[in-house]
Amino acid sequence: MKKVLYWVMGEKAGRTIVGTWNWLWGMPVEQGGKVAVAVAEESLQAMQQSVHKLATAVAAQDGAYKTAKQKYESKVKELQTFEQQARIASKSGNEEAARMAMTRVIQTEQILPQIEEMVRQAEAAVKASKEKLNRERMKLESYKTDMQNMKDMSEVNEALGMIAKVNNEFDIGSAKSQFEAAKGAVERRNLKQNALAELSENPAEKLQADMERMTIDDEISRRLEMLEGSNNKQLPGN
């Protein structure tokens, strides 16, 4: 499935979609990598859209509330008008007009408390919605800051990863360790061989050999002296 998405959407878009799916289904997103940043950015965009929709809904609520409030205020004015009409009609002796106006006063008085309560509820609802909108906007601004920090951190992680890669590629520490280990092994072997050679040599045989060598040296010196003396003796007869 991933290969098909990468082929159709391109690797970058494909990785973003797959990462989003993993995030939605609770699967782990790549630790601190580009996919995590892309998923976070896409989630931030979704939050921005939600906040925008909420703002639109709150504006509609506020408009409906203002309309209801105006209707209530209009009804209050109607009540005042009907009361004034009833008063004028009563003073002028027009009983029928006075009764009709008073009937309207009574009907308006009956409906007015219900409208007032509805307006009060609408006002409370709009106030709560505005407070929620403000909270969501503050959260969104906080997430925007986090998003920028996340991008910066991701770039730093990439830089550190590149530095670590270069250090690993050109690290001669292991080679140095191997060289030192080999050198130590050779030196230890040399010491061991010298020790074995000294142990394998018989001290008596060595003394005997030294004496024989000294005897031979003396004999050689004596013979050379004799040869030299015989040569000197033959010189006058020439």
Side-chain angles (χ1 to χ4, degrees):
M1 187 65 180
K2 289 183 182 179
K3 291 182 179 179
V4 174
L5 274 173
Y6 292 166
W7 180 71
V8 174
M9 304 295 295
E11 185 174 354
K12 182 177 180 180
R15 285 186 180 275
T16 301
I17 293 172
V18 171
T20 304
W21 284 349
N22 292 343
W23 172 69
L24 290 173
W25 287 101
M27 296 172 65
V29 181
E30 179 188 350
Q31 295 292 333
K34 292 182 179 179
V35 173
V37 174
V39 170
E41 195 164 21
E42 191 166 313
S43 302
L44 181 62
Q45 291 175 359
M47 282 188 282
Q48 286 177 321
Q49 292 175 0
S50 298
V51 171
H52 177 71
K53 289 179 181 178
L54 178 60
T56 303
V58 171
Q61 270 188 332
D62 191 48
Y65 159 70
K66 288 178 180 178
T67 300
K69 185 178 180 181
Q70 289 173 358
K71 193 67 178 176
Y72 171 75
E73 292 172 349
S74 175
K75 281 294 181 184
V76 170
K77 290 180 180 179
E78 282 183 7
L79 177 62
Q80 293 172 350
T81 301
F82 293 150
E83 287 177 342
Q84 186 177 7
Q85 289 175 352
R87 190 179 302 108
I88 293 172
S90 178
K91 285 182 179 182
S92 63
N94 190 344
E95 185 178 351
E96 183 179 353
R99 290 180 67 85
M100 184 178 295
M102 187 56 66
T103 300
R104 291 178 176 174
V105 168
I106 293 171
Q107 290 176 333
T108 304
E109 285 178 344
Q110 289 176 344
I111 194 68
L112 198 60
Q114 299 178 26
I115 296 176
E116 183 181 8
E117 180 61 24
M118 292 171 66
V119 170
R120 188 179 293 110
Q121 291 177 358
E123 183 181 11
V126 170
K127 182 180 179 181
S129 296
K130 286 182 176 180
E131 289 175 354
K132 181 179 180 180
L133 178 60
N134 288 333
R135 289 195 302 270
E136 294 302 322
R137 281 174 171 169
M138 290 178 67
K139 287 181 183 177
L140 183 60
E141 291 302 316
S142 176
Y143 284 134
K144 284 181 180 179
T145 303
D146 289 341
M147 184 73 251
Q148 186 58 51
N149 292 339
M150 196 182 303
K151 286 182 177 180
D152 295 339
M153 187 174 293
S154 178
E155 291 178 4
V156 172
N157 285 338
E158 282 193 47
L160 292 177
M162 184 177 295
I163 292 171
K165 183 179 179 182
V166 171
N167 288 340
N168 290 335
E169 287 179 354
F170 294 94
D171 184 20
I172 60 174
S174 59
K176 288 180 178 179
S177 299
Q178 291 178 355
F179 177 82
E180 294 296 334
K183 178 182 176 183
V186 171
E187 290 176 348
R188 288 192 300 272
R189 182 175 179 83
N190 179 260
L191 293 174
K192 181 179 179 181
Q193 293 299 326
N194 288 338
L196 289 174
E198 290 178 359
L199 290 174
S200 63
E201 189 173 8
N202 191 320
E205 293 180 354
K206 185 176 183 301
L207 180 60
Q208 182 65 31
D210 290 341
M211 291 179 65
E212 290 178 355
R213 180 174 53 78
M214 292 174 61
T215 302
I216 293 172
D217 288 342
D218 291 342
E219 181 64 19
I220 290 172
S221 298
R222 188 180 67 80
R223 296 253 183 129
L224 287 173
E225 289 176 358
M226 289 176 60
L227 182 61
E228 188 175 340
S230 61
N231 289 336
N232 290 335
K233 289 179 180 179
Q234 294 176 0
L235 285 176
N238 287 343

